[in-house]
């Protein structure tokens, strides 16, 4: 069935325009004034509302197992929660599987995602054990994925010279290299010192992974990028100074892109003194109020290409099952609150325009990860993925309102101005007026587009 959305403030590539938008066959067919419904069209009035491209959360971890602990959101629950916040595409992570090639591992992850409610693609994680031959990397692109993920920390981290080799190869092949940047030596030294002093409570989480670990890692990666003349993308930037390093590197012509997350913009490390500190443990940790200020400043200056959530949901029971910072499962839920928090804190508070928000939530990740123009824009021919936002609606975030299996949000109690009221994926309504609509999942794997300018 076709869908005609009337009188919305459409957030288009060249600005906001009040018009109608008609979707049919899963794609946007017409954008224009005074469109007349055709027989059988479902008509929605969006007067006074923004109609934005569906949000792309390009950093989620569904069904992520570390040892015998698994995150509570699988592809089904995680993507349902995401859709209730206006997300229509997610980019999850494919881990290399022992004895399997990179493409086989990716294909297995794609199979695990078959019950997702939103469209999806993946970043392929590269580890010292996975290998990264040119043929293996080329095969990923042929399969339809253009993004790799490297870690400078955790058990699976690569040495900097290995990263240099991968970044160089990826540059030659036109692949994106996304990197979790925290210098492992700095973190290891800090953790050892805290343990030696018996400072093991979650209150020390922020101190255990200091901002300078991120800054140092990014500086080293910038040098590598310059040396091999290839691009890098820094995920979940947490520290204000890292934003400054990235901004200056870009000004000097380094091929560096970056993302930050709502939690780094809106929360600070004072929460680690709270009794429920574990709920706020993620890597990298929350920083100081000054970091938040500098991060917002760099959002406004265009240093960050997009926002992501690093959605990695554990239940309260899982979080509280340990009382040390180094054993607490790192990660928080986030996709469902991505658009609402940033619309309220960014657009409603006048920090950024709705056009910038839309570029950072949809167009820019679509371009980097090869999904543009099928995803990321409202344009005839593009997938009919969109979210209708009521800019006046006031909502206080509570767990009962949200849909993640985590059953808590780090933003609980926050009152927002502006909230999604309807999410549409390829022309079908997934979420409307606070309710996820029943139906079978029909999220699809989206291979990279060869027509897009990414
Ligand atoms: O604490 C976090 N962020 N967990 C997920 C894994 C990662 O580093 O992104
Ligand atoms: Zn990470
Ligand atoms: Zn992550």
């Amino acid at each position: 069935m076709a869908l005609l959305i009337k009188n919305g403030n459409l957030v288009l590539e060249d600005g906001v325009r009040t018009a109608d938008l008609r979707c049919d066959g899963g794609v946007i067919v017409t954008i224009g004034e005074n469109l007349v419904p055709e027989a059988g069209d479902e008509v929605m009035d969006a007067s006074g509302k923004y109609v934005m491209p569906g949000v792309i959360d390009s950093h989620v971890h569904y069904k992520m197992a570390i040892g015998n602990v698994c995150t509570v959101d699988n592809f089904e629950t995680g993507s349902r929660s995401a859709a209730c916040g206006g997300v229509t595409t997610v980019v999850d992570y494919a881990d290399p599987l022992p004895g399997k090639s990179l493409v086989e591992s990716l294909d297995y992850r794609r199979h695990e995602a078959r019950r997702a409610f939103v469209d999806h693609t993946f970043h392929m994680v590269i580890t010292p054990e996975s290998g990264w031959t040119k043929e293996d990397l080329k095969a990923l692109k042929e399969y339809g994925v253009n993004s790799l993920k490297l870690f400078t920390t955790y058990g699976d981290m690569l040495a900097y010279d290995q990263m240099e080799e991968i970044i160089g190869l990826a540059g030659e092949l036109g692949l994106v290299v996304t990197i979790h940047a925290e210098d492992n030596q700095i973190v290891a030294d800090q953790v050892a010192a805290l343990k030696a002093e018996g400072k093991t409570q979650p209150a020390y989480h922020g101190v255990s992974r200091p901002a300078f670990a991120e800054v140092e890692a990014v500086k080293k990666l910038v040098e590598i990028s310059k040396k091999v003349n290839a691009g890098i993308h820094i995920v979940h930037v947490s520290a204000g100074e890292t934003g400054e390093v990235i901004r200056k590197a870009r000004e000097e012509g380094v091929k560096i892109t970056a993302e930050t997350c709502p939690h780094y913009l809106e929360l600070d490390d004072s929460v680690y003194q709270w009794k429920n500190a574990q709920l706020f443990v993620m890597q990298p940790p929350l920083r100081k109020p000054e970091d938040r200020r500098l991060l917002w400043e760099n959002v406004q200056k265009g240093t960050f290409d997009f926002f992501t959530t690093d959605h990695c949901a554990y239940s309260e029971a899982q979080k509280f099952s340990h009382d040390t910072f180094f054993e607490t499962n790192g990660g928080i839920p986030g996709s469902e609150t991505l658009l609402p928090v940033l619309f309220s804190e960014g657009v409603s508070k006048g920090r950024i325009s709705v056009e910038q928000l839309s570029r950072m939530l949809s167009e820019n990740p679509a371009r980097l990860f090869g999904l543009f123009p099928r995803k990321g824009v409202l344009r005839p021919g593009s997938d009919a993925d969109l979210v209708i936002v009521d800019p006046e609606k006031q909502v206080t975030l509570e767990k009962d309102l949200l849909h993640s299996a985590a059953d808590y949000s780090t933003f609980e109690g926050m009152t927002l101005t502006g909230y999604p009221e309807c999410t549409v994926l390829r022309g079908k309504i997934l979420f409307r007026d606070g309710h996820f609509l029943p139906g079978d999942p029909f999220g699809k794997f989206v291979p990279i587009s060869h027509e897009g300018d990414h």
Side-chain angles (χ1 to χ4, degrees):
M1 189 169 67
L3 177 66
L4 176 61
I5 300 173
K6 297 281 297 172
N7 308 313
N9 296 319
L10 309 185
V11 185
L12 303 173
E13 289 159 272
D14 55 356
V16 178
R17 174 172 143 211
T18 305
D20 305 338
L21 179 150
R22 188 165 183 280
C23 325
D24 199 3
V27 295
I28 298 171
V29 281
T30 324
I31 293 175
E33 277 79 34
N34 303 316
L35 300 185
V36 178
E38 297 180 16
D41 277 6
E42 174 168 2
V43 182
M44 275 169 78
D45 180 31
S47 305
K49 316 279 165 66
Y50 284 114
V51 180
M52 300 171 67
V55 171
I56 299 174
D57 187 351
S58 61
H59 190 151
V60 304
H61 303 269
Y62 295 150
K63 194 176 174 283
M64 187 186 87
I66 299 181
N68 57 2
V69 181
C70 189
T71 54
V72 281
D73 272 332
N74 53 29
F75 280 91
E76 204 166 333
T77 63
S79 62
R80 178 166 45 216
S81 159
C84 295
V87 174
T88 50
T89 303
V90 293
V91 190
D92 176 79
Y93 289 85
D95 284 318
L97 300 172
K100 301 274 179 212
S101 71
L102 295 179
V103 160
E104 284 167 342
S105 305
L106 182 60
D107 195 53
Y108 180 81
R109 190 63 168 166
R110 180 175 166 186
H111 177 74
E112 289 194 308
R114 68 198 177 281
R115 289 195 57 81
F117 282 102
V118 301
D119 285 354
H120 45 272
T121 179
F122 305 93
H123 308 280
M124 184 71 226
V125 175
I126 305 294
T127 67
E129 292 73 38
S130 72
W132 51 84
T133 65
K134 196 165 184 176
E135 289 64 42
D136 275 354
L137 298 183
K138 225 166 135 186
L140 294 173
K141 203 164 172 194
E142 280 155 13
Y143 185 95
V145 160
N146 78 347
S147 177
L148 310 179
K149 175 70 181 280
L150 317 183
F151 293 90
T152 63
T153 186
Y154 299 147
D156 279 346
M157 82 217 170
L158 295 146
Y160 286 104
D161 59 341
Q162 293 176 311
M163 287 188 260
E164 179 177 319
E165 196 184 312
I166 298 165
I167 293 166
L169 261 180
E172 283 172 36
L173 295 169
L175 293 164
V176 178
V177 181
T178 71
I179 311 166
H180 174 132
E182 285 180 290
D183 187 82
N184 198 57
Q185 195 55 54
I186 296 177
V187 173
D189 291 348
Q190 205 77 0
V191 170
L194 288 168
K195 282 183 176 172
E197 292 172 55
K199 295 177 173 170
T200 58
Q201 300 89 324
Y204 293 99
H205 178 60
V207 192
S208 74
R209 309 182 80 89
F212 69 88
E214 185 181 79
V215 172
E216 285 312 306
V218 171
K219 283 183 178 166
K220 285 183 184 152
L221 292 164
V222 164
E223 289 313 309
I224 290 175
S225 163
K226 282 198 225 169
K227 187 171 165 196
V228 298
N229 189 27
I232 50 172
H233 174 81
I234 309 298
V235 302
H236 54 40
V237 172
S238 64
E241 198 185 332
T242 313
E244 290 293 282
V245 170
I246 293 169
R247 183 170 58 79
K248 286 178 190 143
R250 278 167 88 119
E251 282 167 8
E252 287 167 18
V254 178
K255 296 175 186 163
I256 183 168
T257 55
E259 66 190 49
T260 186
C261 312
H263 44 284
Y264 299 122
L265 291 162
E266 290 306 313
L267 304 172
D268 65 63
D269 65 359
S270 57
V271 298
Y272 296 130
Q273 305 311 316
W274 296 0
K275 266 206 334 245
N276 60 356
Q278 285 102 317
L279 297 184
F280 299 86
V281 167
M282 80 290 282
Q283 281 90 246
L286 300 171
R287 306 296 184 193
K288 304 280 174 214
E290 173 59 12
D291 290 88
R292 292 181 47 201
R293 193 194 62 71
L294 256 183
L295 288 177
W296 267 118
E297 199 177 295
N298 272 301
V299 167
Q300 290 169 318
K301 286 181 173 164
T303 305
F304 294 109
D305 300 80
F306 42 86
F307 300 116
T308 63
T309 65
D310 195 9
H311 182 100
C312 181
Y314 292 101
S315 66
E316 291 195 341
Q318 285 175 314
K319 285 292 213 180
F320 290 133
S321 64
H322 297 286
D323 58 7
T324 61
F325 69 79
F326 55 90
E327 288 168 302
T328 302
N329 300 303
I332 60 168
S335 294
E336 190 171 353
T337 48
L338 171 64
L339 165 63
V341 168
L342 293 175
F343 189 93
S344 184
E345 292 297 304
V347 179
S348 303
K349 290 199 171 162
R351 287 177 167 125
I352 54 174
S353 65
V354 71
E355 290 95 331
Q356 184 181 351
L357 181 68
S358 175
R359 280 194 296 275
M360 293 184 71
L361 287 177
S362 305
E363 181 178 335
N364 295 351
R367 283 183 187 275
L368 192 68
F369 299 120
L371 311 175
F372 187 88
R374 178 168 169 191
K375 305 287 186 190
V377 276
L378 300 182
R379 212 197 242 192
S382 293
D383 280 358
D385 296 351
L386 47 97
V387 50
I388 302 179
V389 177
D390 179 348
E392 308 294 337
K393 188 166 176 179
Q394 298 250 330
V395 169
T396 299
L397 288 174
E398 289 162 14
K399 59 172 94 178
D400 286 352
L401 188 86
L402 301 170
H403 299 75
S404 161
D407 211 23
Y408 82 94
S409 164
T410 54
F411 300 112
E412 265 168 55
M414 196 168 174
T415 297
L416 306 178
T417 303
Y419 209 82
E421 69 170 32
C422 181
T423 307
V424 175
L425 173 66
R426 285 184 271 114
K428 291 206 181 110
I429 300 172
L430 287 181
F431 167 83
R432 194 169 190 176
D433 300 329
H435 299 286
F436 187 77
L437 304 187
D440 285 332
F442 63 94
K444 269 199 213 161
F445 168 69
V446 192
I448 49 174
S449 139
H450 292 285
E451 47 175 320
D453 43 343
H454 38 85

